[in-house]
């Protein structure tokens, strides 16, 4: 009998087990199953030894160019940031990796406390009172936020800023439309890149049950949350999709009266991994906590009076409320959230600010140097570490050539906007050096 | 103690290189500048290591021991998977396609292999978890009917034994949910089903084997009944681990097939995720998949966004790629023979454990104790409760004391005091015997000294927690006293 | 005198056509530790047999059905801070709301305490 490293059964074991069960063969246990296939007929390779598998997967890995071998100016929702070794070493601990949802709280205190601390850290960044234990990603978190906004307001339409990440907008549409919720967009000001206040005003009718903006927006521009919030009727939930690193130096959305704050958390110590897994963070205030989707961890005491943590307000969730639950979410991105908590512990109060400031300084220096080389910025609004510039009609072609030279250039916006063929979205981080910037300038000049 | 309480002003756990970029002014309006720094902990690196090591020690996990959580397939997570996934960490989703050909090829090949395993024609790898896949699948079904001008299908039929995510996902996709009562064998009751089937039904969602661990042997009949009234059949893949290499959902008549890579294909559960929930579909549903779909043109791999009838996007980017690499590695390792063997041994293990427990516990819908189950089974704890006053909850807590993770408890809802046990194929005969011995000891204690069970657990980092107060007066973040 | 429903609510006329509504002691026992009660709005109309409130425990959420039709004149605000009152005194301090009955004859279909006792034992 062929042996597999993850399967313990010897022939003797199987014989004894079948005897105890009272059947002749394993096949007898499959009596109810129609045999639609057999291993012989399956068009799959035979099992392989570990070394062979390693060689195959390493072979595939070699067919990529990796961020850490290139000069990177690509952002748009996923960022190439420094992850200290301690972060992934701690996150790879087997009891974090191979545990599941903390259904048995007594033997899951590590998970529960780590998530409780994660919730606290995100509350610190967003300024909100409560944060759930994570969503899949920023886009689905925003979609769930719009559904929640409608649960609160009971109105049939949501308004989104045009300047939200295009893939987030599409995700929101996919999620809300089947529930009969209409999606409308308000424009951004072509000069500043910020929300067009007049257009928003015009579109705020009495059917609107939620308004969302990004902070900073997809073009890197920092929206004036104060001016936007002032326009909104009191009962219309204000949703902000924020970048967590930007929140280290931007006034938290809570200060401007946000009702729900969401975002993609990858930049907090998670690897880019081709876009996933990162995680979505989701914050709100206690008065709305019962309409919030996702798992939530709370602090309590055990029978001996010892502090401990448990999942709370579970009656919101699908395993209890079924079709009436606030969301269908079950598995979330707990491990990615804990990795973010480890990152935030490592970077701390000063480190996150330093990361944000360095990233912003690099972007502003790059912008200045581009202007010196004859390029112009597309928008005049305030930005941090991402901005759009006019890169020339042939930029997309050039972008592919840059990659050949080891430069992952600013994202050609032709990817998302037909009328932005000449525009590119540049991103910098604390990893960007002066040398990188000069290399980019030389290559695109 | 929390990390916040270990914080000491002035400590740092990170270091960054000298900053060589000339100072340029960052012009942000005053009122948008943060006035007070986020109160994150200030610790040094050793503290980070000690803190998270201390937390990690308080968790039970598959690497620690037997974790027979029913319907969650807590099989061993091979270490090579983690190493292979790490090779692909530094990839950006918007890199030019020519610089990510290896990653795209891996996704394409994984898709091909999963299509073969499930008997479907095309697939999205984007959904990030089982429930996310369910929503995606239900949206595909909804869009398919609407595209045909079939606008009155507003209902989805879900058995009363289904996971809560099924009705929740159907509701999120805009459907009304009809709950189907199970037959006295714990299966889909064909007569009941017939009553609900008409031209307003969009789909039937089934788990097969179902959550009781029994295979719906009438599946081909059910598929015909559904298709005859124009409804589609949706496969919840939570229990695929029972039938790999034996039967394919696509061959049984399922139109939409969902997979949990974090269950069947050995990717780790990570305290609750990230997982991955690909959705395979039959030919007639291909056009409705979410974008992008990974495709191949000659020897080039690319992401296809050009699906005019697509349901749209269900999240940003391409899914949990890091998880996909782990599942791919697993499938290569196991091969067709190994995957089939995994299912056979998962079923063997479940039946063996069920047999070992026969004398102390009866399984649901199994009067003589001889009914074969698939990869899991559900014990009925009502007799023990009646005889001794010991609840399933007490049994679960006592198991923690004895060094095991508890099974899934109080689910499925149709079995009183349920204990749902899924041993998986990666557990040895000795482990199953040790678990059975623990269960027997517990039943004995229930009769002789139930107080031990009521007071359990005692050997865990904390004991039973006050969940009521935690939900009545929620404390959801740390705050300085 | 209290009257009971098969879905385990009670109603008690306090004077004229005013009555208090709550869930039975048996119901609270089945539910376990109550952690939240969703109170109806004052002024809202209840219709006999329709859900008007939800009582949640740690692991369950149960709809509460109106035993009679009528207009809500008061709700038990205490329950917002002390949902445990339902566990401590379901048929007293744990009342949920007060209504003005629109049809007193609706009471006739309900069970007396004795009948209810038999019903839950049966």
């Amino acid at each position: 009998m062929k042996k597999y490293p993850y399967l313990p059964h010897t022939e003797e074991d199987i014989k004894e087990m079948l005897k105890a069960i009272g059947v002749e063969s394993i096949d007898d246990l499959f009596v109810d199953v129609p045999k639609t296939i057999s291993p012989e007929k399956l068009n799959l390779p035979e099992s392989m030894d570990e070394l062979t598998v390693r060689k195959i997967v390493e072979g595939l890995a070699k067919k990529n160019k990796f961020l850490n071998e290139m000069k990177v100016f690509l952002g748009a929702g996923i960022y190439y940031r420094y992850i200290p070794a301690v972060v992934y070493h701690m996150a790879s601990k087997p009891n974090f990796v191979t545990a599941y949802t903390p259904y048995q709280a007594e033997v899951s205190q590590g998970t529960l406390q780590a998530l409780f601390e994660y919730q606290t850290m995100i509350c610190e960044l967003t300024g909100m009172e409560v944060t759930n234990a994570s969503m899949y990603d920023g886009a689905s978190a925003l979609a769930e936020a719009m559904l929640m906004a409608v649960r609160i307001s009971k109105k049939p339409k949501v308004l989104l800023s045009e300047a939200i990440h295009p893939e987030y907008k599409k995700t929101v549409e996919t999620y809300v439309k089947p529930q009969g919720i209409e999606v409308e967009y308000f424009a951004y000001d072509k000069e500043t890149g910020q929300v067009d206040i007049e257009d928003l005003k015009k579109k705020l009718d009495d059917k609107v049950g939620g308004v969302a903006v990004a902070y900073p927006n997809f073009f890197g521009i920092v929206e004036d949350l104060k001016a936007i919030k002032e326009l909104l009727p009191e009962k219309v939930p204000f949703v902000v999709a924020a970048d967590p690193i930007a929140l280290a130096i931007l006034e938290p959305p809570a200060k401007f009266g946000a009702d729900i704050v969401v975002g993609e958390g990858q930049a907090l110590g998670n690897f880019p991994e081709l876009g996933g897994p990162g995680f979505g963070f989701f914050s709100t205030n206690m008065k709305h906590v019962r309409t919030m989707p996702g798992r939530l961890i709370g602090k309590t005491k055990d029978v001996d009076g010892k502090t401990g943590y448990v999942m709370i307000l579970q009656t919101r969730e699908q395993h209890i409320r079924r079709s009436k639950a606030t969301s269908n979410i079950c598995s979330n991105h707990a491990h990615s959230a804990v990795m973010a908590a480890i990152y935030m512990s490592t970077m701390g109060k000063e480190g996150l600010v330093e990361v944000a400031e360095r990233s912003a300084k690099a972007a502003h220096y790059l912008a200045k140097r581009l202007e010196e080389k004859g390029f112009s910025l597309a928008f005049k609004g305030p930005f941090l570490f991402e901005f759009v510039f006019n890169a020339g009609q042939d930029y997309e072609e050039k972008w592919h050539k840059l990659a050949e030279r080891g430069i992952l250039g600013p994202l050609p916006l032709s990817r998302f906007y037909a009328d932005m063929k000449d525009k590119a979205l540049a991103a910098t981080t604390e990893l960007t050096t002066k040398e990188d910037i000069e290399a980019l300038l030389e290559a695109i000049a | 103690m929390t990390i916040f309480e270990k914080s000491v002003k002035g400590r740092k756990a990170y270091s960054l290189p000298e900053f060589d970029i000339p100072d340029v002014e960052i012009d942000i309006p005053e009122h948008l500048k943060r006035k007070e720094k986020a109160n994150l902990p200030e610790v040094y690196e050793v503290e980070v290591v000690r803190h998270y090591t201390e937390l990690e020690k308080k968790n039970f996990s598959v690497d620690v021991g037997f974790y027979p959580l029913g319907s969650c397939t807590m099989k061993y997570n091979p270490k090579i998977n983690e190493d292979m996934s790490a090779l692909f960490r530094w990839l950006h989703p918007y890199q030019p396609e020519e610089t990510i050909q290896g990653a795209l090829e891996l996704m394409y090949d994984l898709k091909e292999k999963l299509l073969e395993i499930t008997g479907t024609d095309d697939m999205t790898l984007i959904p990030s978890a089982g429930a996310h896949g369910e929503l995606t699948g239900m949206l595909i079904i909804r869009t398919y009917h609407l595209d045909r001008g079939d606008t009155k299908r507003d209902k989805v039929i879900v058995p009363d034994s289904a996971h809560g995510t099924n009705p929740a996902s159907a509701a999120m996709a805009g459907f009304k949910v009809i709950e189907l009562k199970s037959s006295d064998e714990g299966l889909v009751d064909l007569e009941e089903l017939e009553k609900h089937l008409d031209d307003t039904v969009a789909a039937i969602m089934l788990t097969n084997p179902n959550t009781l661990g029994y295979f719906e042997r009438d599946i081909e009949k059910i598929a015909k009944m559904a298709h005859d009234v124009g409804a589609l059949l949706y496969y919840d893949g939570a229990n695929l681990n029972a039938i790999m290499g034996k039967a394919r959902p696509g061959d049984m008549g399922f139109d939409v097939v969902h997979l949990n890579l974090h269950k069947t294909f050995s990717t780790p559960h990570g305290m609750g995720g990230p997982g991955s929930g690909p959705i395979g579909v039959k030919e007639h549903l291909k056009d409705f998949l979410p974008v992008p779909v990974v495709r191949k043109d000659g020897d080039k791999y690319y992401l296809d966004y050009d699906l005019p009838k697509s349901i749209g996007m269900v999240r940003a980017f391409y899914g949990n790629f890091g998880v996909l690499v782990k599942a791919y590695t697993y499938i290569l390792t196991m091969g067709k023979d190994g995957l089939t063997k995994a299912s056979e041994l998962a079923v063997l293990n479940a039946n063996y454990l069920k047999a070992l427990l026969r004398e102390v516990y009866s399984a649901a819908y199994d009067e003589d104790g001889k009914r074969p189950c698939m990869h899991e089974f559900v014990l009925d704890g009502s007799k023990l409760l009646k005889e001794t006053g010991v609840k399933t909850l007490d049994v679960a807590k006592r198991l923690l004391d004895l060094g095991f993770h508890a099974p899934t408890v109080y689910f499925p809802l149709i079995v009183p005091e349920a204990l749902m046990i899924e041993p998986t194929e990666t557990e040895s005969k000795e482990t199953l015997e040790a678990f059975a011995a623990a269960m027997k000891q517990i039943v004995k204690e229930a009769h002789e000294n139930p107080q031990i069970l009521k007071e359990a657990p005692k050997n865990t980092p904390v004991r039973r927690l006050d969940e009521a107060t935690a939900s009545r007066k929620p404390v959801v973040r740390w705050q300085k006293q | 005198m209290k009257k009971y429903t098969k879905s385990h609510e009670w109603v008690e006329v306090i004077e004229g056509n005013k009555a208090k509504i709550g869930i039975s002691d048996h119901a609270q026992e089945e539910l376990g530790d109550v952690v939240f009660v969703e109170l109806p709005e004052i002024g809202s109309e209840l219709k006999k047999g329709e859900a008007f409130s939800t009582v949640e425990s740690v692991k369950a959420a149960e709809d509460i059905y109106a035993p009679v039709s009528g207009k809500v004149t008061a709700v038990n605000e205490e329950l917002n801070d002390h949902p445990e009152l339902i566990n401590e005194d379901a048929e007293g301090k744990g009342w949920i709301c007060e209504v003005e009955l629109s049809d007193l004859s609706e009471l006739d279909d309900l069970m007396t305490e004795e009948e209810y006792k038999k019903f839950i034992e049966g």
Side-chain angles (χ1 to χ4, degrees), chain A residues 295-309:
Chain A
R295 296 203 167 105
L296 185 60
I297 313 304
K299 187 175 155 181
T300 188
K301 288 202 169 6
D302 77 356
V303 288
D304 296 334
K306 200 168 164 190
T307 293
Y309 302 87

Side-chain angles (χ1 to χ4, degrees), chain A residues 290 311 313-316 319-321 324, chain C residues 35-36 54 56-61 63:
Chain A
R290 290 189 172 273
M311 294 198 278
L313 305 182
Q314 292 187 59
T315 46
R316 297 166 299 115
H319 60 286
I320 293 174
R321 271 253 165 72
K324 289 185 196 153
Chain C
V35 301
F36 178 70
T54 317
E56 296 181 10
S57 67
V58 173
K59 297 275 158 67
D63 283 336

Side-chain angles (χ1 to χ4, degrees), chain A residues 71-148:
Chain A
K71 301 180 191 309
V72 181
F73 296 91
L74 202 53
I78 294 290
Y79 300 92
Y80 176 48
R81 295 195 173 280
Y82 186 66
I83 303 175
V86 67
V87 175
Y88 52 85
H89 274 276
M90 287 301 109
S92 331
K93 292 230 161 208
N95 296 347
F96 287 146
V97 176
T98 75
Y100 199 19
T101 305
Y103 292 121
Q104 297 294 339
E106 296 88 343
V107 291
S108 310
Q109 286 299 302
T111 298
L112 289 159
Q113 187 181 330
L115 287 171
F116 179 80
E117 293 176 5
Y118 157 82
Q119 291 174 183
T120 306
M121 292 173 192
I122 299 291
C123 285
E124 282 295 327
L125 285 176
T126 60
M128 306 300 282
E129 293 168 353
V130 53
T131 297
N132 75 14
S134 79
M135 309 295 284
Y136 311 133
D137 79 327
S140 60
L142 179 61
E144 291 265 22
M146 299 326 288
L147 289 175
M148 175 170 155

Side-chain angles (χ1 to χ4, degrees), chain A residues 72-73 359 362 427-434 436-437, chain B residues 19-21:
Chain A
V72 181
F73 296 91
S359 307
T428 54
T429 69
E430 73 281 13
L431 286 171
T432 313
T433 63
K434 192 162 172 251
D436 295 345
I437 290 175
Chain B
F19 194 55
D20 71 347
I21 290 175

Side-chain angles (χ1 to χ4, degrees), chain C:
Chain C
M1 191 181 77
K2 283 199 180 76
K3 290 276 201 130
Y4 296 83
T5 65
K6 285 185 181 170
S7 48
H8 310 289
E9 292 86 12
W10 58 263
V11 54
E12 182 174 27
V13 175
I14 40 178
E15 59 169 328
N17 65 343
K18 278 203 167 172
K20 274 187 174 174
I21 292 175
I23 67 166
S24 73
D25 190 54
H26 171 76
Q28 72 77 19
E29 209 161 279
E30 291 282 298
L31 261 170
D33 292 337
V34 171
V35 301
F36 178 70
V37 183
E38 191 193 334
L39 296 170
E41 272 178 45
I42 293 177
S44 62
E45 291 284 342
L46 304 191
K47 220 174 143 207
K48 183 175 173 158
E50 283 183 7
F52 71 95
S53 158
T54 317
V55 176
E56 296 181 10
S57 67
V58 173
K59 297 275 158 67
E62 292 294 337
D63 283 336
I64 308 303
Y65 299 92
V68 287
S69 306
K71 189 172 170 179
V72 177
T73 52
V75 296
N76 186 359
E77 310 261 4
E78 283 275 304
L79 292 176
N80 286 330
D81 288 331
H82 298 285
E84 64 273 18
L85 279 177
I86 291 203
N87 295 116
E88 290 161 7
D89 190 8
E91 304 197 10
K93 285 183 188 151
W95 62 280
I96 294 174
C97 66
E98 205 177 88
V99 292
E100 253 170 35
L101 290 175
S102 49
D103 179 2
L104 280 163
S105 73
E106 280 180 352
L107 290 167
D108 301 344
D109 315 338
L110 304 177
M111 290 178 274
T112 63
E113 192 170 348
E114 216 166 291
E115 287 166 337
Y116 179 67
K117 255 188 195 156
K118 265 187 205 150
F119 169 73
I120 52 180
E121 277 161 15

Side-chain angles (χ1 to χ4, degrees), chain A residues 39-332:
Chain A
E40 300 75 49
K41 280 192 229 144
L42 267 183
N43 182 20
L44 288 177
E46 297 273 347
S47 54
M48 296 175 205
D49 63 276
E50 184 169 306
L51 191 56
T52 303
V53 171
R54 183 184 282 274
K55 281 181 181 160
I56 292 173
V57 183
E58 279 173 349
L60 288 169
K62 282 191 191 110
K63 294 184 192 174
N64 304 287
K65 274 195 168 174
F66 292 99
L67 294 167
N68 52 358
E69 313 161 347
M70 289 195 282
K71 301 180 191 309
V72 181
F73 296 91
L74 202 53
I78 294 290
Y79 300 92
Y80 176 48
R81 295 195 173 280
Y82 186 66
I83 303 175
V86 67
V87 175
Y88 52 85
H89 274 276
M90 287 301 109
S92 331
K93 292 230 161 208
N95 296 347
F96 287 146
V97 176
T98 75
Y100 199 19
T101 305
Y103 292 121
Q104 297 294 339
E106 296 88 343
V107 291
S108 310
Q109 286 299 302
T111 298
L112 289 159
Q113 187 181 330
L115 287 171
F116 179 80
E117 293 176 5
Y118 157 82
Q119 291 174 183
T120 306
M121 292 173 192
I122 299 291
C123 285
E124 282 295 327
L125 285 176
T126 60
M128 306 300 282
E129 293 168 353
V130 53
T131 297
N132 75 14
S134 79
M135 309 295 284
Y136 311 133
D137 79 327
S140 60
L142 179 61
E144 291 265 22
M146 299 326 288
L147 289 175
M148 175 170 155
V150 169
R151 280 197 295 278
I152 294 169
S153 67
K154 303 190 172 68
K155 298 274 181 70
K157 182 159 87 180
V158 293
L159 279 188
L160 266 58
S161 159
E162 278 282 6
I164 288 175
H165 194 300
E167 298 196 0
Y168 285 39
K169 291 191 285 187
K170 286 202 172 121
T171 304
V172 171
E173 290 185 17
T174 308
Y175 266 70
V176 309
K177 283 183 174 170
Q179 299 197 23
I181 300 164
E182 198 187 326
V183 183
E184 207 179 324
Y185 295 97
F186 49 97
Y188 58 90
D189 184 297
K190 299 290 177 288
E191 207 178 299
T192 63
Q194 284 177 315
V195 163
D196 180 338
I197 293 288
E198 286 311 311
D199 195 51
L200 171 58
K201 228 187 252 176
K202 215 165 60 195
K203 287 181 173 145
L204 269 171
D205 58 31
D206 60 4
K207 276 162 63 187
V208 173
V211 172
V213 299
Y215 183 65
N217 69 25
F218 181 62
F219 305 122
I221 304 290
V222 181
E223 300 282 12
D224 187 348
L225 298 188
K226 186 163 176 273
I228 296 162
K229 172 67 187 176
E230 276 167 6
L231 287 184
L232 305 187
E234 206 198 321
K235 292 220 163 142
V236 175
F238 184 28
V239 180
V240 177
D243 177 280
I245 300 290
L247 289 182
I249 53 174
L250 290 180
E251 197 69 324
K255 286 261 156 87
F256 303 106
D259 296 288
I260 307 172
V261 182
V262 297
E264 169 61 51
Q266 175 269 328
L268 297 169
N270 277 249
F271 297 103
E273 296 201 84
L274 205 70
F279 66 95
F281 61 86
F282 195 112
S283 304
T284 186
N285 286 328
M286 284 311 283
K287 68 172 171 189
H288 296 314
V289 72
R290 290 189 172 273
T291 54
M292 185 176 72
R295 296 203 167 105
L296 185 60
I297 313 304
K299 187 175 155 181
T300 188
K301 288 202 169 6
D302 77 356
V303 288
D304 296 334
K306 200 168 164 190
T307 293
Y309 302 87
V310 283
M311 294 198 278
I312 62 165
L313 305 182
Q314 292 187 59
T315 46
R316 297 166 299 115
E317 295 187 57
Q318 47 74 30
H319 60 286
I320 293 174
R321 271 253 165 72
R322 297 174 81 85
S323 64
K324 289 185 196 153
T326 55
S327 167
N328 69 338
I329 191 166
C330 178
S331 281
N332 53 18

Side-chain angles (χ1 to χ4, degrees), chain A residues 60 63, chain B residues 97 101 104-113 122-123 292-305:
Chain A
L60 288 169
K63 294 184 192 174
Chain B
E97 273 176 2
Q101 283 297 303
L104 294 178
E105 182 178 342
L106 186 149
M107 283 198 271
Y108 184 86
D109 196 32
L110 172 63
K111 181 174 97 167
E112 290 293 305
K113 290 182 163 54
D122 205 352
M123 183 174 281
V293 179
V294 192
R295 300 208 194 282
K296 187 180 181 182
D297 178 20
D299 53 5
K300 289 260 180 296
Y301 298 88
Y302 70 102
L303 294 159
D304 186 3
Y305 288 85

